[in-house]
Amino acid sequence: MKNKSLLIIALTLGSWMTLLAQSSADSPKIITRSTMVGVGGTNVLDTYLSNEHFTGLGFSFLSTIERQRTGQRWSTLMEHEANLSTISDRRDDRSELEGAYNFYWGKLYTWQLMDNRLTLQVGGVANASLGFIYNMSNGNNPAQARAHLNVMPTGVASYRFTLFKKQLLARYELNLPLVGIQFSPNYGQSYYEIFNRGNYDHNIVPTTFVSAPEWRNVLTLDAQLARRITLRIGYLGNIQQSKVNNLRQHIWTHRFLIGFTKRFSITPYGLNDK
C-alpha cells in the first residue's frame, strides 16, 4: 500500500512538472530589439602612452535585445556596443585613435507598477570588453590594448505615457561595476617583454569598483510613428576609469543616439508583431 501511494505521488508530481514545463514553453516570448547609432565627444587619458588628455569626436553602434516570457518575472538582456574615436591633445599636434567593443549579457527581475505603466528591473550583467588606444606620434610603445571582464549590478526603469496622442516610452538603464579582471602592462613594461619574451609581471589584475570605477547610463525615448515603426532617440554616457600597475586610464564617452525599435512575440505558432 505504501509503495502504491509513493508511486501515485511520483506520477502526480511528474505529470505536474511536465505540465508546468509545457505551459512555460508554450507561453509567448516577448522580444524587444533596438538598433541605434550615435555621435558625440570622447575624452581619453592613458599614462602608459602619454600624460596628456586627448579629446575629440567619436561614433557608436548600440544594439539592445531583451527577452521575457509572458507571465514570468525574469528577463534576459543582451547589448552589443562598438565605439571608435579620433582624438587629439590640447595643442592639436598629437593624435590618437581609440576603439572598443563591449558585450553585455545578464538577467533582470521585473516589477510592474502603476497599472503596468511603470516597469522596474533589477539584476546584473557580465561585461566583456576588447579595445585599443593607438598613439600616432609615439615611436616606442605606440599602442595600448584594452581588455576586461566585469560583473555589473544593473537597474532599469521604464515608463509608458501619452503625449499629444502619441504613445511614448521613456527608459533609463544604469550599469555599475562590482568586481572583474583587467589586462594591463606594468609600469615601464613593454609589449615586447610580455608577448615575445613571455615576461609576466602582474598583467592580469583583479579589479573592484574602487580600482576601476565605471558609470554607464543609457537614457532613451521611444515614439511610435506607425504600427510597425518605433523611433528611438537617446543618450549613452560611459565614464570608465582605472588605476592598476601604477598606470592611470580613463575613457569618457558621451553619445547622442538615434535608431529604431521593434517589439514582437514568438509563440509555438509563429512570430507576431506587437
Side-chain angles (χ1 to χ4, degrees):
M1 185 68 179
K2 182 178 180 181
N3 291 336
K4 289 183 179 180
S5 299
L6 290 174
L7 180 61
I8 292 173
I9 293 173
L11 290 174
T12 303
L13 287 174
S15 301
W16 179 79
M17 292 182 69
T18 301
L19 182 62
L20 183 63
Q22 182 179 0
S23 175
S24 176
D26 290 344
S27 61
K29 181 185 292 184
I30 307 301
I31 299 178
T32 304
R33 182 193 301 268
S34 73
T35 303
M36 311 181 74
V37 293
V39 61
T42 302
N43 185 305
V44 173
L45 169 69
D46 189 293
T47 57
Y48 181 77
L49 299 175
S50 172
N51 288 317
E52 282 285 341
H53 287 76
F54 288 74
T55 58
L57 189 66
F59 301 89
S60 294
F61 169 83
L62 179 63
S63 171
T64 302
I65 303 170
E66 186 171 356
R67 298 186 177 98
Q68 184 173 14
R69 287 195 181 277
T70 302
Q72 294 191 0
R73 294 277 193 174
W74 287 98
S75 64
T76 301
L77 177 67
M78 289 190 296
E79 293 184 319
H80 301 270
E81 179 187 333
N83 300 293
L84 184 64
S85 303
T86 56
I87 48 182
S88 57
D89 63 4
R90 288 172 291 181
R91 293 183 296 180
D92 203 24
D93 59 0
R94 289 189 294 173
S95 299
E96 288 184 342
L97 186 66
E98 181 272 331
Y101 166 74
N102 287 273
F103 174 68
Y104 300 87
W105 184 94
K107 290 287 189 178
L108 303 174
Y109 190 82
T110 304
W111 291 273
Q112 298 286 353
L113 306 171
M114 298 173 62
D115 196 24
N116 292 333
R117 295 195 307 273
L118 177 64
T119 302
L120 299 180
Q121 297 171 284
V122 176
V125 301
N127 166 223
S129 177
L130 291 173
F132 68 91
I133 304 171
Y134 179 72
N135 191 305
M136 302 177 188
S137 305
N138 282 5
N140 296 322
N141 296 335
Q144 168 74 301
R146 299 172 53 207
H148 69 246
L149 180 64
N150 280 338
V151 175
M152 308 184 74
T154 298
V156 179
S158 304
Y159 183 70
R160 299 180 182 276
F161 62 101
T162 303
L163 184 65
F164 301 122
K165 298 183 180 180
K166 291 288 184 181
Q167 293 293 322
L168 303 176
L169 172 66
R171 179 182 184 275
Y172 175 69
E173 177 184 341
L174 174 64
N175 310 107
L176 299 172
L178 183 61
V179 294
I181 55 174
Q182 176 179 325
F183 166 80
S184 174
N186 215 319
Y187 182 82
Q189 183 186 29
S190 68
Y191 278 84
Y192 176 81
E193 293 178 81
I194 300 173
F195 296 109
N196 290 72
R197 303 185 65 178
N199 293 339
Y200 176 82
D201 188 10
H202 199 240
N203 301 126
I204 304 299
V205 186
T207 59
T208 67
F209 59 91
V210 177
S211 61
E214 183 174 347
W215 182 279
R216 181 176 183 265
N217 305 266
V218 186
L219 177 63
T220 59
L221 179 67
D222 290 359
Q224 189 170 358
L225 304 182
R227 182 177 178 272
R228 298 187 178 184
I229 301 177
T230 300
L231 176 69
R232 172 170 284 192
I233 59 173
Y235 163 79
L236 168 64
N238 199 352
I239 307 299
Q240 303 178 66
Q241 299 185 164
S242 67
K243 186 178 182 181
V244 297
N245 288 343
N246 296 310
L247 297 171
R248 291 188 299 121
Q249 182 187 92
H250 78 229
I251 299 174
W252 304 338
T253 57
H254 303 277
R255 301 286 190 265
F256 171 75
L257 301 170
I258 187 168
F260 294 95
T261 299
K262 186 175 179 62
R263 191 167 183 263
F264 53 93
S265 64
I266 297 178
T267 71
Y269 310 103
L271 184 149
N272 298 312
D273 290 329
K274 299 294 286 183

